[in-house]
Amino acid sequence: MSDAESPLSGPPSVEHRSLSETDELISFYDESLHLIDASPRHRVRYVVAPLVDATLWYIYPELVATKSKSVVESLFTGGVPRNVEIPDATTGIHRSLLIFRTAHGIGVVEAEGNSTGCESTNQGENDRARLLHQATHDVLTGLPNRRQFSDELHGILPVVADAKLAVMQIDLDDFKPINDTLGHGAGDAVLKMAAERIKRVLGERETAYRLAGDEFAVIQRKVDQPIEAERLADAIVNAFKEPFTVEDINVFVGASVGVAVAPSDGNENEQLMKAADIALYAAKRDGRGRARTFSRAMLIALEQREMFRRSLRIALQEGQFFVEYQPLVKPPFSIVGFEALLRWRHPLAGLIPPSVFIPMAESDGLMSEIGQWVLEQACRAARTWPAQFTVAVNLSPAEFLREGLTDRVAQTLDAVGLRADRLELEITESVLLERTTNNLDTLNTLNVLGVQISLDDFGTQYSSLSYLKNFPFDTIKIDKYFIKDLESDEKSQTIVRFIIALAHGLRMRVTAEGVETRGQANWLQTEGCDQLQGYLLGVPMPAEAIDEFLRQSSLVMS
């Protein structure tokens, strides 16, 4: 069955709903201008033989005239209702046609009257069509709106097994910064241009909608799925590769697309939209600026993620978290302390990687409570170590930005009885994106307390050298990304040499993470790196294993 023969061509939209109840002359046509529905009075007036190709031009041949035809064609780009007056040379009666854009093509409302009395009728019909258009279309972009989108899906679904359609959810990437930096006027301009880019890649039986804000959608009524949907989704993503020019400024806004196909991914509104939304989430999680088609694996992964999210809320109370400690070593092999690493053992799923659960805890506002627990555990463990050993504890952005951090740290040190200079707090550059007075005050207060401050993962995020000038760090940690190929890659060697020299010039220590080979350790020692950390020197271990580790280490050194 071809797309044109698909049973989806029945009356699908809000404009068609009350045709059986009206006494007006109303008709609707698809994108190819074939008649798809009409009011009872219109069907009686314009009797169409079964074998006749009932098009707009057949029913209203007067519209073939160049001027009238151009009015019809302009609707497909502008979307503004137009009034066309058709004179009848035989009867002298004028027919006024109000032609307006619909989601599937165009609609026509016909009014009768003589040439002198039709002006008020035309105006009334014109107002009616404008109200209809405003109710079902987005004012800014001219696209059909969320109400129209919902009505379309309700009219189309469910589809039969051999008829397919695709729904695409589209989110613009990096749109919010445009509103924040250039203003909402610039944001509106980008939204209008974005709508045009989406429309330009659409073909027959493909309709775009603006749902809200920077959210768009497409309904595609094609049988060859998901191939056709994936082709269109990729075309939409590629349409956003070029920058938008706003007030002579080039701004880059990408598009992430989630695709769901009926009936395989769902055959009713809510189910199909949920599938498209899950696919959109996968596209954003995989790096944005791409398209993803729904699969059951996505649903399973999301359900698992939500299960973890719910479990996180009781994990601390039920004692599911624990802390492991990884050695910090001064070359060649002198232990100077340990870094505290948070772990979660889920009662059903086992060990959950920190990269999975920490972002969840941060987004759900749980990280402050969990972080405070880790700080107390680490400080209590450090009290049992040799007096010169330090303990490093990671601070998430949520913890650092929460009011009262310095008081909580001071109270914890006092309660445990640990010297402040034995605690090292590690923060990442993302904490310092906003160089506010509060951020600087927090770091300076911690510095006054005697707590050491370490800048973690240096070189992998924003790496602004002004951070090093403006904030009082004691240590810079080189990310393992630069260490893994250190023995063979000259670029990594150059970067690591630069960081070591920079830190020492600013009177800061340097710690290299991810040291796994003797060659890496020797190279770093030769270049003057102050501390090493990695599996070569010691794996993360529970607190009760540290005494034995230190005993074995002393035997190796002796």
Side-chain angles (χ1 to χ4, degrees):
M1 180 184 294
S2 69
D3 291 334
E5 297 168 332
S6 168
L8 301 179
S9 58
S13 67
V14 68
E15 293 99 336
H16 302 237
R17 292 281 172 85
S18 303
L19 285 180
S20 61
E21 303 169 6
T22 184
D23 192 41
E24 296 180 273
L25 293 166
I26 304 176
S27 52
F28 292 94
Y29 306 82
D30 63 17
E31 299 280 350
S32 301
L33 298 181
H34 287 80
L35 180 68
I36 57 176
D37 202 7
S39 63
R41 187 178 173 208
H42 189 281
R43 292 179 183 277
V44 171
R45 170 73 62 87
Y46 298 98
V47 179
V48 179
L51 298 180
V52 171
D53 188 15
T55 65
L56 177 71
W57 314 122
Y58 176 85
I59 294 174
Y60 297 110
E62 298 89 347
L63 291 176
V64 178
T66 303
K67 184 176 180 181
S68 298
K69 189 174 183 180
S70 65
V71 169
V72 174
E73 292 170 344
S74 70
L75 286 171
F76 287 98
T77 56
V80 179
R82 302 292 296 276
N83 197 288
V84 177
E85 194 172 303
I86 302 175
D88 190 318
T90 304
T91 63
I93 297 175
H94 284 71
R95 291 177 294 168
S96 179
L97 304 182
L98 183 65
I99 309 174
F100 54 93
R101 187 78 165 95
T102 70
H104 287 292
I106 64 171
V108 179
V109 178
E110 179 181 344
E112 294 178 294
N114 58 42
S115 58
T116 59
C118 66
E119 183 175 346
S120 60
T121 302
N122 290 347
Q123 184 59 46
E125 294 295 336
N126 197 46
D127 292 342
R128 178 181 178 277
R130 276 200 174 85
L131 289 173
L132 178 62
H133 187 274
Q134 290 170 4
T136 57
H137 287 72
D138 172 53
V139 175
L140 180 65
T141 64
L143 293 177
N145 59 17
R146 181 183 289 274
R147 171 186 170 184
Q148 181 77 340
F149 173 77
S150 180
D151 287 337
E152 289 290 324
L153 275 188
H154 275 298
I156 295 171
L157 297 174
V159 298
V160 295
D162 59 344
K164 297 180 180 179
L165 69 89
V167 169
M168 301 175 203
Q169 289 230 69
I170 306 165
D171 265 12
L172 303 189
D173 303 323
D174 300 316
F175 173 74
K176 186 176 183 297
I178 294 174
N179 273 341
D180 293 343
T181 58
L182 300 180
H184 288 278
D188 287 349
V190 169
L191 288 173
K192 287 193 282 189
M193 289 186 282
E196 289 302 317
R197 289 194 185 185
I198 295 172
K199 286 197 296 185
R200 278 203 299 268
V201 300
L202 300 181
E204 290 187 5
R205 307 176 69 77
E206 297 170 347
T207 307
Y209 306 79
R210 184 188 178 201
L211 302 185
D214 60 347
E215 301 172 21
F216 296 82
V218 168
I219 295 177
Q220 181 192 57
R221 297 178 297 151
K222 303 258 187 181
V223 173
D224 191 11
Q225 298 294 0
I227 294 174
E228 283 290 344
E230 290 172 348
R231 172 200 58 77
L232 177 58
D234 287 339
I236 292 171
V237 170
N238 290 331
F240 284 79
K241 298 295 186 184
E242 295 298 318
F244 294 87
T245 303
V246 182
E247 298 173 357
D248 296 326
I249 300 173
N250 284 342
V251 295
F252 287 87
V253 174
S256 296
V257 184
V259 178
V261 176
S264 58
D265 298 334
N267 211 7
E268 56 89 22
N269 260 31
E270 188 172 338
Q271 189 180 22
L272 194 61
M273 286 300 294
K274 179 182 177 182
D277 195 50
I278 291 172
L280 176 62
Y281 173 82
K284 288 184 170 292
R285 181 196 60 205
D286 292 347
R288 305 192 300 176
R290 63 197 65 213
R292 290 290 180 264
T293 302
F294 174 79
S295 68
R296 295 296 167 187
M298 291 178 184
L299 179 59
I300 293 171
L302 183 64
E303 289 175 343
Q304 184 182 60
R305 182 180 178 86
E306 290 307 307
M307 182 267 288
F308 289 155
R309 189 183 296 277
R310 292 191 296 271
S311 300
L312 262 176
R313 296 191 173 276
I314 60 172
L316 189 59
Q317 287 73 24
E318 297 191 353
Q320 297 172 14
F321 290 121
F322 63 99
V323 180
E324 290 188 325
Y325 300 87
Q326 187 170 27
L328 293 163
V329 174
K330 179 179 179 180
F333 193 83
S334 176
I335 298 171
V336 294
F338 294 85
E339 179 181 359
L341 302 169
L342 176 63
R343 302 289 188 253
W344 180 24
R345 183 179 286 109
H346 189 277
L348 299 178
L351 285 175
I352 310 300
S355 60
V356 172
F357 73 82
I358 287 180
M360 292 183 195
E362 289 178 336
S363 64
D364 287 358
L366 303 175
M367 204 58 222
S368 292
E369 184 181 359
I370 296 172
Q372 179 62 32
W373 179 83
V374 173
L375 178 64
E376 292 178 7
Q377 295 295 309
C379 289
R380 294 187 186 281
R383 280 274 291 128
T384 67
W385 305 340
Q388 73 274 19
F389 282 10
T390 62
V391 61
V393 178
N394 291 278
L395 275 185
S396 74
E399 294 175 84
F400 183 85
L401 298 174
R402 182 184 172 195
E403 189 176 352
L405 170 66
T406 55
D407 290 339
R408 291 193 299 276
V409 170
Q411 290 166 6
T412 301
L413 291 171
D414 289 342
V416 173
L418 186 71
R419 290 199 327 265
D421 63 343
R422 295 185 61 192
L423 174 62
E424 182 175 27
L425 296 178
E426 297 187 2
I427 64 173
T428 60
E429 291 170 295
S430 59
V431 170
L432 307 175
L433 281 179
E434 295 183 17
R435 299 174 197 163
T436 64
T437 302
N438 289 340
N439 286 350
L440 187 58
D441 286 346
T442 297
L443 288 174
N444 283 326
T445 302
L446 291 171
N447 187 261
V448 169
L449 287 174
V451 174
Q452 300 181 59
I453 308 295
S454 174
L455 182 59
D456 199 10
D457 301 334
F458 183 77
T460 61
Q461 299 184 46
Y462 307 96
S463 301
S464 172
L465 298 182
S466 62
Y467 297 150
L468 304 182
K469 179 181 178 182
N470 295 326
F471 293 98
F473 297 110
D474 297 285
T475 303
I476 295 176
K477 297 192 75 171
I478 306 174
D479 190 77
K480 60 186 177 182
Y481 172 80
F482 300 106
I483 305 301
K484 63 181 180 181
D485 56 359
L486 190 60
E487 296 175 77
S488 58
D489 187 78
E490 292 184 1
K491 292 181 179 178
S492 291
Q493 293 174 1
T494 300
I495 291 171
V496 171
R497 281 196 189 98
F498 164 77
I499 296 174
I500 293 173
L502 177 66
H504 288 169
L506 295 171
R507 297 187 178 87
M508 300 175 185
R509 294 187 302 271
V510 182
T511 299
E513 298 180 296
V515 180
E516 298 183 354
T517 70
R518 177 56 61 187
Q520 293 169 347
N522 291 339
W523 191 95
L524 289 163
Q525 180 180 356
T526 301
E527 295 298 326
C529 188
D530 302 292
Q531 295 179 165
L532 310 180
Q533 183 180 9
Y535 277 32
L536 173 71
L537 308 160
V539 299
M541 65 192 76
E544 54 269 23
I546 289 178
D547 284 345
E548 177 62 19
F549 174 78
L550 293 176
R551 190 181 70 81
Q552 293 293 334
S553 299
S554 63
L555 291 176
V556 171
M557 293 298 294
S558 59

